[in-house]
Amino acid sequence: MGKPDDQDPAHRAPATAVVHLGRDPFAHHGFVNPPVYRGSTVLYPTLESLEAKTQPYTYGRRGTPTVTALQDALTALAGGAATKLTASGYQAVTTALLAFAETGDHVLVADTVYEPTRQFCDYLLRRLGVETQYYDPLIGAGIAALFRPNTRLVYVESPGSQTFEMQDIPAIAEAAHAKDIWVLADNTWSSPLYCQPLALGADVVIEAGTKYLVGHADALLGFITSNARAAKPIERAAGTLGVCPGSEETFLGLRGLRTLDVRLARHQETGLHLAEWLRARPEVARVLHPGLSSDPGHALWKRDHTGATGLFSIILKPVQKPALAAFLDGLKLFGMGYSWGGYESLVIPFDCTSYRTATRWPPEGPALRFHAGLENVGDLIADLDAGFARLRAAS
Ligand SMILES: *Cc1c(COP(=O)(O)O)cnc(C)c1O
């Protein structure tokens, strides 16, 4: 740090940690932010240094000081041993799975994972001779009954994509570790600030930095943070696969980190406010948000999380397509599109019927996923209120 500080920033409150981690101003002439190192070639001053392989940086793909700055900050925040940045969140998912899965293995994946994760398992892992079995995310310690002698890993994502089921990560990790099975956790919804899967027993945390870390819908980035046991296999797989983030994207991740705590606080507050408001609407059958005390996953969320972010879903009461279109098409502040975690509010219809295999879907009516952005919550509610008026008029 710029000034002597006997307290490691990683051990300070999150708001302080995100401001101070991964910066060393006086290593850069006092400029508060680390510079963006761009480059492939790294020069070695002597033959001896080339042969000794002791330089901290050897080639752009293997890392730069900008990459190290963000990796170190994320490692400290997650309480891990090492972090590997990737070019996207999805690449973090695939790299982590490839780091452990081998031909002949059996892997257990929550039925509620991010849907492209399933595609990777069903297409690429299958071709490599790895069998994927999807399990009910509510299984908890019951996961032990699914273990086989060749089970290599359990993949969790809590809350689940689209439908927000909470998983009992400590119970799953305890059962898995008793059989030497790895536990991988996609923690994108929570970010490193609101859940610490490594402390809950996971070996590897996977996140799409694209979402809240970058926070402005202007870059793709991912990261994998491992405990000491998992760091080597992740490092080896990422290096072998040639996984590396872009220079500019890495900087945008570092910049996003500085405001992560304040942005998340607003996403949380607005998300909860919208969820409560929607729950009281006559057009809404159910709200899926573990931060609501009425949610079936609330007790687990409260035990394992320090906050809720801005992404949640609702199930509408049955309604015809034209009425749904009238609701969505006329929204002024909620954009319709994929991804989330930026400053803007979003809504997207979804239907898990075609791909979930271990749990039952569809529900009683159309499902919508909302992302609460950083706008004024009153304005957002007025936008939704006008939408429901259009929906009723078209019904
Ligand atoms: C978005 C997302 C990813 C993938 O991230 P990209 O950066 O879009 O590739 C992975 N997991 C979850 C849970 C996500 O929401």
Side-chain angles (χ1 to χ4, degrees), residues 87-93 113-117 155 157 159-161 186-189 206-211 219-222 311 339-340 369:
S88 70
Y90 185 52
Q91 191 179 47
V93 171
V113 283
Y114 179 62
E115 200 268 337
T117 303
Y155 193 100
E157 185 178 319
S161 269
D186 186 328
N187 194 48
T188 300
W189 184 83
I206 294 153
E207 289 192 27
T210 306
K211 309 289 169 51
L220 288 154
L221 195 66
L311 195 76
S339 205
W340 44 274
R369 189 190 70 187

Side-chain angles (χ1 to χ4, degrees), residues 46-128:
T46 62
L47 177 63
E48 191 191 352
S49 70
L50 182 78
E51 289 177 345
K53 298 190 163 121
T54 49
Q55 275 194 181
Y57 299 98
T58 56
Y59 187 58
R61 176 165 21 86
R62 298 211 160 262
T64 69
T66 319
V67 169
T68 304
L70 182 52
Q71 288 184 165
D72 288 353
L74 294 170
T75 300
L77 277 181
T83 296
K84 190 76 206 160
L85 287 181
T86 60
S88 70
Y90 185 52
Q91 191 179 47
V93 171
T94 61
T95 302
L97 283 165
L98 282 173
F100 298 103
E102 289 177 31
T103 302
D105 282 351
H106 170 246
V107 303
L108 287 162
V109 176
D111 204 32
T112 42
V113 283
Y114 179 62
E115 200 268 337
T117 303
R118 294 180 82 103
Q119 291 179 27
F120 182 75
C121 295
D122 296 344
Y123 174 66
L124 213 121
L125 285 189
R126 185 195 176 106
R127 276 181 42 192
L128 297 177

Side-chain angles (χ1 to χ4, degrees), residues 38-283:
R38 294 184 177 85
S40 49
T41 300
V42 176
L43 298 182
Y44 300 78
T46 62
L47 177 63
E48 191 191 352
S49 70
L50 182 78
E51 289 177 345
K53 298 190 163 121
T54 49
Q55 275 194 181
Y57 299 98
T58 56
Y59 187 58
R61 176 165 21 86
R62 298 211 160 262
T64 69
T66 319
V67 169
T68 304
L70 182 52
Q71 288 184 165
D72 288 353
L74 294 170
T75 300
L77 277 181
T83 296
K84 190 76 206 160
L85 287 181
T86 60
S88 70
Y90 185 52
Q91 191 179 47
V93 171
T94 61
T95 302
L97 283 165
L98 282 173
F100 298 103
E102 289 177 31
T103 302
D105 282 351
H106 170 246
V107 303
L108 287 162
V109 176
D111 204 32
T112 42
V113 283
Y114 179 62
E115 200 268 337
T117 303
R118 294 180 82 103
Q119 291 179 27
F120 182 75
C121 295
D122 296 344
Y123 174 66
L124 213 121
L125 285 189
R126 185 195 176 106
R127 276 181 42 192
L128 297 177
V130 176
E131 183 187 349
T132 302
Q133 181 180 354
Y134 295 99
Y135 65 88
D136 183 336
L138 306 183
I139 198 165
I143 192 89
L146 304 182
F147 292 161
R148 301 179 193 168
N150 62 337
T151 303
R152 176 75 62 179
L153 65 91
V154 179
Y155 193 100
V156 302
E157 185 178 319
S158 181
S161 269
Q162 316 285 58
T163 45
F164 304 95
E165 293 84 350
M166 290 298 305
Q167 292 197 253
D168 192 340
I169 297 178
I172 290 172
E174 193 184 338
H177 290 156
K179 298 281 181 190
D180 248 347
I181 294 169
W182 298 97
V183 178
L184 278 54
D186 186 328
N187 194 48
T188 300
W189 184 83
S190 308
S191 95
L193 294 195
Y194 286 174
C195 183
Q196 307 256 292
L198 298 178
L200 299 178
D203 300 292
V204 176
V205 185
I206 294 153
E207 289 192 27
T210 306
K211 309 289 169 51
Y212 287 120
L213 178 67
V214 165
H216 294 68
D218 53 5
L220 288 154
L221 195 66
F223 52 98
I224 308 168
T225 303
S226 326
N227 63 16
R229 205 164 71 95
K232 256 282 170 37
I234 292 291
E235 174 68 36
R236 191 85 199 268
T240 309
L241 290 164
V243 167
C244 68
S247 312
E248 200 67 33
E249 285 76 5
T250 301
F251 178 76
L252 290 171
L254 272 166
R255 190 164 77 164
L257 178 69
R258 308 303 169 207
T259 55
L260 185 62
D261 186 77
V262 285
R263 285 187 287 110
L264 286 187
R266 175 70 86 87
H267 288 297
Q268 164 165 250
E269 184 188 345
T270 302
L272 283 167
H273 197 127
L274 291 180
E276 290 285 11
W277 184 83
L278 285 161
R279 198 161 74 90
R281 292 292 308 196
E283 301 87 350

